[in-house]
Amino acid sequence: MFDKRYYYLLKIQYLGFRYHGWQKQPDVLTVERMMERTFSYVLGHKNFKLLASGRTDAKVSANVAYVELFLNDTPLPNGDFLDLFNANLPQDIRCLSITEVDKSFNVMNAPIQKEYIYLFSYGDKKHPFTAPYMVNIAGILDIELMKKGASLFVGTHDFRNYAYKANPETKTINRLISSEIVTNDIYTASFFPEESYIFRVKGKGFKRHQVRLMMGVLFDLGQGKITLDFINKTLADGSIIKLEHIAQASGLMLHDVVI
């Protein structure tokens, strides 16, 4: 048993392209595993545990994410611990801040809003360096029609068809504060295509693969494979429609979390 437990909230960001998601798993590289290794090395012990406010899938990135650190017996050292921690993390993970919280804080319940974005482009094959950040769709996409499709997700709906492998007990009624497709003016690089786009959604929470299934439907809409009426049917109460198109993970990013 430990004598005392200390609680800290970590604000982090990471590029998910080489990781198998956040959660630690046997024999694969994950963000949680790398953070645990770094803490063990810097602190010189393993008398702690980490808990994230949510999990990301393989290749999904996070511009803002929150993790709670539970540290037994001894608090974090004073001084430049944040700098020391960052110096030992891999370059594709960064800790933005470390704040002590009290025992009553619950990182799982703390988020009041999450914002996901999905970066994409279309047309001729783009520079390979874009692969960790955005997905390119070959051919033409009707962006204006996709914008209309994205707006259909706004409001309170039963998102059961957009919840991957939901069971009968899964709560799938949720409210999206916003859902839109806009021109990408957030992330730029010299090797990015001249024009790219963002699918941006905000809500309190999302089910596994929900945003990627929504993006897959919008890609199908933009390619003329489905209609706006089909999207309305997927959101109708009691409808059971198996959606097959799960958009690639590499375009998805947890862009912001409000706590």
Side-chain angles (χ1 to χ4, degrees), residues 126-141:
K126 303 304 187 278
H127 197 295
F129 290 0
T130 63
Y133 312 101
M134 71 173 60
V135 169
N136 184 67
I137 301 297
I140 300 297
L141 289 176

Side-chain angles (χ1 to χ4, degrees), residues 118 153 159-166 199 207-220 226 230-231 234 241-248 252:
Y118 193 102
F153 294 120
F159 287 96
R160 179 162 297 275
N161 293 317
Y162 296 89
Y164 183 70
K165 293 185 177 180
F199 173 45
K207 300 301 179 184
R208 184 184 180 197
H209 294 346
Q210 180 178 339
V211 180
R212 291 169 60 193
L213 282 163
M214 293 164 68
M215 188 75 255
V217 161
L218 293 175
F219 281 152
D220 288 347
I226 61 169
F230 176 82
I231 297 179
T234 66
I241 299 173
K242 185 172 176 57
L243 300 176
E244 303 286 352
H245 189 173
I246 302 176
Q248 292 173 242
L252 183 61

Side-chain angles (χ1 to χ4, degrees), residues 18-235:
R18 74 185 184 106
Y19 296 102
H20 288 258
W22 160 263
Q23 187 177 15
K24 187 170 60 176
Q25 305 167 54
D27 304 321
V28 294
L29 189 65
T30 69
V31 179
E32 183 180 24
R33 182 182 294 275
M34 290 306 301
M35 288 192 64
E36 281 191 352
R37 288 179 180 176
T38 305
F39 267 120
S40 296
Y41 175 75
V42 173
L43 295 173
H45 63 78
K46 298 182 178 180
N47 202 15
F48 64 87
K49 75 172 186 176
L50 299 174
L51 181 65
S53 61
R55 303 170 183 173
T56 50
D57 293 330
K59 295 185 183 296
V60 176
S61 299
N63 178 61
V64 172
Y66 287 95
V67 179
E68 191 169 2
L69 168 68
F70 303 85
L71 189 58
N72 299 333
D73 296 326
T74 306
L76 290 179
N78 294 322
D80 299 327
F81 180 81
L82 178 61
D83 292 338
L84 178 64
F85 184 51
N86 273 318
N88 286 278
L89 282 169
Q91 291 191 4
D92 49 9
I93 303 175
R94 180 168 69 155
C95 185
L96 299 171
S97 64
I98 301 176
T99 307
E100 188 168 7
V101 293
D102 60 32
K103 183 180 180 180
S104 64
F105 182 81
N106 186 322
V107 72
M108 297 290 290
N109 296 331
I112 59 175
Q113 179 179 293
K114 293 182 179 181
E115 177 185 4
Y116 280 92
I117 66 173
Y118 193 102
L119 285 160
F120 69 95
S121 60
Y122 69 89
D124 294 337
K125 194 167 187 177
K126 303 304 187 278
H127 197 295
F129 290 0
T130 63
Y133 312 101
M134 71 173 60
V135 169
N136 184 67
I137 301 297
I140 300 297
L141 289 176
D142 186 336
I143 298 296
E144 293 306 311
L145 184 60
M146 291 173 68
K147 289 180 179 179
K148 293 179 182 178
S151 69
L152 297 178
F153 294 120
V154 176
T156 301
H157 303 283
D158 187 346
F159 287 96
R160 179 162 297 275
N161 293 317
Y162 296 89
Y164 183 70
K165 293 185 177 180
N167 59 51
E169 291 74 38
T170 303
K171 295 180 180 179
T172 55
I173 296 178
N174 193 16
R175 175 176 174 264
L176 291 193
I177 300 167
S178 65
S179 172
E180 61 181 351
I181 289 177
V182 296
T183 299
N184 171 31
D185 60 2
I186 300 177
Y187 293 98
T188 60
S190 61
F191 50 83
F192 274 18
E194 185 173 328
E195 191 166 46
S196 58
Y197 301 90
I198 288 175
F199 173 45
R200 179 164 54 196
V201 289
K202 296 179 183 179
K204 181 173 175 55
F206 297 86
K207 300 301 179 184
R208 184 184 180 197
H209 294 346
Q210 180 178 339
V211 180
R212 291 169 60 193
L213 282 163
M214 293 164 68
M215 188 75 255
V217 161
L218 293 175
F219 281 152
D220 288 347
L221 179 67
Q223 292 175 308
K225 297 177 181 179
I226 61 169
T227 64
L228 292 172
D229 185 58
F230 176 82
I231 297 179
N232 280 320
K233 288 178 180 177
T234 66
L235 297 171

